[in-house]
Amino acid sequence: MGLLDSFEKGLERAVNSAFAKTFRSGIQPVEIASALRREADTKAAVVSRDRIITPSDYLVRLSPDDHERMQGLGRALHEELFALLTTHARTQGYSFSGPLHIAMEADERVATGVVRISSGSVESSVSWQGVIEVDGRRHPLTSARTVIGRGSDADITISDAGSSRRHAEILWDGERGMLRDLGSTNGTKVDGQKVREAALTPDTSFTIGRTELVFRVIPVSGKESIR
C-alpha cells in the first residue's frame, strides 16, 4: 500500500461518509497530500553522504471555496497531512530544517480545484558548519584556523603519542576546508599518503599518529547545538 493509499484510508476513518460528499467537486484531500510530498521532494537538498535536508514550513493555498471545504474537516485533515509528510520524509531519508509546520489559507488568485504550495527555503533555516569528528565526537570549526595536536594549547587535543604537540591545522572559510601539516615528526596522512597540505572535501578522513579524524560539513539550525 502506497503512502497516498494509506492517507486516504486514514481520512476515511476520520471523516464520516456524509461529509465526504462535499469533495465531489473542487480539490481533493489526497491532491493536497500529493502536492506537499512533491514540494518536499523538489526542495530536498543533499548536504552530505548521510543527510538530506528539506524545508519544514509549508503553506497550502486554496481557492476560497476549497479552503472552506477543507476547514470543515477540522484537525483531521491537518493531522493526516502532518503524518503523511513525516512518514514520507522518513522513508526518503530527509531531515526537516526545523519543526514541521503546515498551514492553509484561502487565496482568491487560486482557481477551484487547484492547490498551490510554498515552503520555507533550506538556506534561510540552516547554516553550514565545518566540524572535525574524533572518536564519534564533533568539534566545530569556529575560527579560520584550528590547530590539532597532543599539546594542551592545541584547539583540538588528541591523546596520541604518535602526534606532535602542534601537529596539523585546519583552515576553514565557511565553505571550504584545507588541511596543513605543521612540520610534525610523523606526518599527516590522507588516504594513507603523507601530505603537507590537502584540500578537504566533506567526509574526508585523515590520520594523525594512530588517530583517524573526519572532516564533515553539516547543516545547523539556529536552535541546534553541536556535541
Side-chain angles (χ1 to χ4, degrees):
M1 180 183 294
L3 286 176
L4 293 182
D5 293 332
S6 298
F7 172 81
E8 290 176 306
K9 293 297 183 183
L11 196 61
E12 286 178 356
R13 291 193 299 269
V15 184
N16 66 48
S17 58
F19 189 82
K21 294 178 182 178
T22 62
F23 299 136
R24 288 178 176 172
S25 61
I27 199 70
Q28 302 290 323
V30 72
E31 293 176 272
I32 299 175
S34 181
L36 284 168
R37 186 177 66 172
R38 185 166 55 250
E39 179 74 7
D41 290 340
T42 301
K43 296 293 181 64
V46 178
V47 299
S48 73
R49 182 178 57 191
D50 304 317
R51 199 167 188 187
I52 304 173
I53 294 292
T54 198
S56 58
D57 294 318
Y58 295 83
L59 176 62
V60 179
R61 293 184 293 116
L62 304 170
S63 72
D65 287 344
D66 283 334
H67 183 261
E68 183 177 356
R69 294 187 187 99
M70 296 302 108
Q71 289 295 99
L73 285 173
R75 293 294 302 173
L77 177 59
H78 181 271
E79 289 171 0
E80 288 292 338
L81 293 174
F82 189 96
L84 178 130
L85 196 54
T86 299
T87 299
H88 180 64
R90 183 170 60 250
T91 301
Q92 299 300 316
Y94 300 158
S95 296
F96 291 116
S97 58
L100 179 59
H101 180 256
I102 302 172
M104 288 190 191
E105 72 173 24
D107 188 336
E108 294 182 352
R109 296 169 296 181
V110 179
T112 300
V114 174
V115 57
R116 294 281 183 261
I117 306 288
S118 58
S119 60
S121 67
V122 172
E123 291 76 14
S124 65
S125 303
V126 175
S127 60
W128 305 104
Q129 176 69 65
V131 301
I132 298 298
E133 191 172 283
V134 186
D135 294 329
R137 182 180 178 185
R138 288 176 171 177
H139 302 266
L141 301 175
T142 56
S143 62
R145 182 172 181 266
T146 301
V147 175
I148 306 171
R150 182 166 43 88
S152 59
D153 59 338
D155 299 304
I156 300 176
T157 303
I158 58 174
S159 300
D160 190 321
S163 65
S164 299
R165 294 184 61 82
R166 294 172 63 85
H167 194 106
E169 66 179 1
I170 303 294
L171 305 179
W172 168 249
D173 66 0
E175 295 182 359
R176 295 173 295 275
M178 175 74 72
L179 170 66
R180 180 179 294 164
D181 186 83
L182 296 176
S184 65
T185 300
N186 295 319
T188 302
K189 296 180 180 179
V190 176
D191 295 329
Q193 301 296 319
K194 285 188 177 182
V195 297
R196 185 161 186 174
E197 65 177 36
L200 293 174
T201 56
D203 303 324
T204 297
S205 298
F206 59 99
T207 305
I208 291 177
R210 294 182 178 179
T211 302
E212 182 175 344
L213 305 92
V214 183
F215 169 74
R216 301 192 191 280
V217 179
I218 63 173
V220 180
S221 68
K223 297 181 180 179
E224 185 176 353
S225 60
I226 299 174
R227 291 187 288 270

